[in-house]
Amino acid sequence: MKILITYFSNTGNTEKIAKSMKDGLLDYDVDLIHAKDVDPTTLSSYDIVFLGSGVYASRVDKSILAMIKKAVPEFPVKLAYFCTHASLKLFQEPFKRITGVIKKHNCEIIGEFDCVGENLGIPLDTQLAMLENLPEDQREKAKKDREKIKGRPNEMDLENAKNFAISLVKNL
Ligand SMILES: Cc1cc2nc3c(=O)[nH]c(=O)nc-3n(C[C@H](O)[C@H](O)[C@H](O)COP(=O)(O)O)c2cc1C
């Protein structure tokens, strides 16, 4: 079985998840390639493609959509999404546009994984100033939530990602 794990990662969180998935799949033939380095025409040569990104303004990075559009109509048959996000729960639909493209083709989403990733892309001063601008009742909760995302993805997140990849491939 040939597997591709490809991802966009601005500050390294999603890359950590991608690497942990690869660590779980040592028994398989796995390529781990940053989205900017992937040749879209090769996607269809894989049995499974894991597609990942950080969430930026509710969406995955545009390089992911561009890659998928360039792969049309030669799609991988099985795709798994993964993403990291700074909200404690994923409430957005970051892959919506990707799904819009692939649903017209013979392609199946076989799994989805997400986890929290500390926001390292916005300077700390700016983030703290944003908190101070919130109404008092929301500010305390936002500060507590900020503490909960510090250092994520953590060891547990990486383990969860690894187990997600293992069980997805085993259960095919
Ligand atoms: C410009 C910018 C926009 C972001 N927008 C969102 C968002 O809409 N929702 C969210 O949950 N997190 C958002 N985040 C946080 C990132 O999704 C999160 O930190 C993620 O782990 C970054 O992944 P990366 O390190 O792989 O780039 C944003 C971060 C940046 C820098």
Side-chain angles (χ1 to χ4, degrees):
M1 187 178 320
K2 231 179 134 209
I3 299 169
L4 172 68
I5 302 175
T6 184
Y7 61 93
F8 176 87
S9 183
N10 190 30
T11 60
N13 294 337
T14 314
E15 184 170 64
K16 284 183 189 166
I17 295 296
K19 285 182 172 168
S20 189
M21 287 178 169
K22 183 173 193 225
D23 288 346
L25 300 174
L26 291 177
D27 295 341
Y28 301 90
D29 180 6
V30 181
D31 290 333
L32 176 72
I33 312 178
H34 196 285
K36 68 177 179 347
D37 299 323
V38 166
D39 172 358
T41 62
T42 64
L43 260 58
S44 59
S45 67
Y46 292 94
D47 298 295
I48 309 173
V49 174
F50 287 79
L51 199 59
S53 172
V55 175
Y56 315 100
S58 308
R59 297 278 175 265
V60 295
D61 186 71
K62 56 183 184 312
S63 61
I64 302 291
L65 183 62
M67 182 208 310
I68 290 295
K69 279 185 173 170
K70 279 187 199 149
V72 171
E74 293 294 315
F75 268 131
V77 175
K78 296 186 191 314
L79 266 183
Y81 292 154
F82 65 101
C83 68
T84 65
H85 48 86
S87 54
L88 283 176
K89 268 196 143 196
L90 182 63
F91 61 92
Q92 295 145 331
E93 289 183 85
F95 286 95
K96 198 173 174 181
R97 294 185 68 190
I98 314 280
T99 305
V101 175
I102 63 164
K103 72 180 177 196
K104 298 172 193 142
H105 301 273
N106 180 27
C107 179
E108 187 190 354
I109 311 298
I110 57 168
E112 296 187 43
F113 176 88
D114 73 275
C115 84
V116 173
E118 182 176 359
N119 195 343
L120 304 170
I122 297 179
L124 184 59
D125 287 356
T126 310
Q127 290 189 43
L128 294 176
M130 284 159 74
L131 290 183
E132 291 311 318
N133 285 335
L134 289 172
E136 201 176 328
D137 55 328
Q138 293 176 29
R139 198 184 310 145
E140 281 317 301
K141 183 180 179 309
K143 280 184 179 168
K144 280 186 189 143
D145 286 354
R146 238 201 125 264
E147 285 305 306
K148 289 182 195 159
I149 71 167
K150 258 190 188 163
R152 306 277 299 269
N154 57 23
E155 285 306 313
M156 180 69 87
D157 296 320
L158 298 184
E159 197 59 25
N160 288 342
K162 189 190 275 186
N163 289 333
F164 164 79
I166 294 169
S167 79
L168 197 75
V169 173
K170 265 192 187 159
N171 291 323
L172 270 185

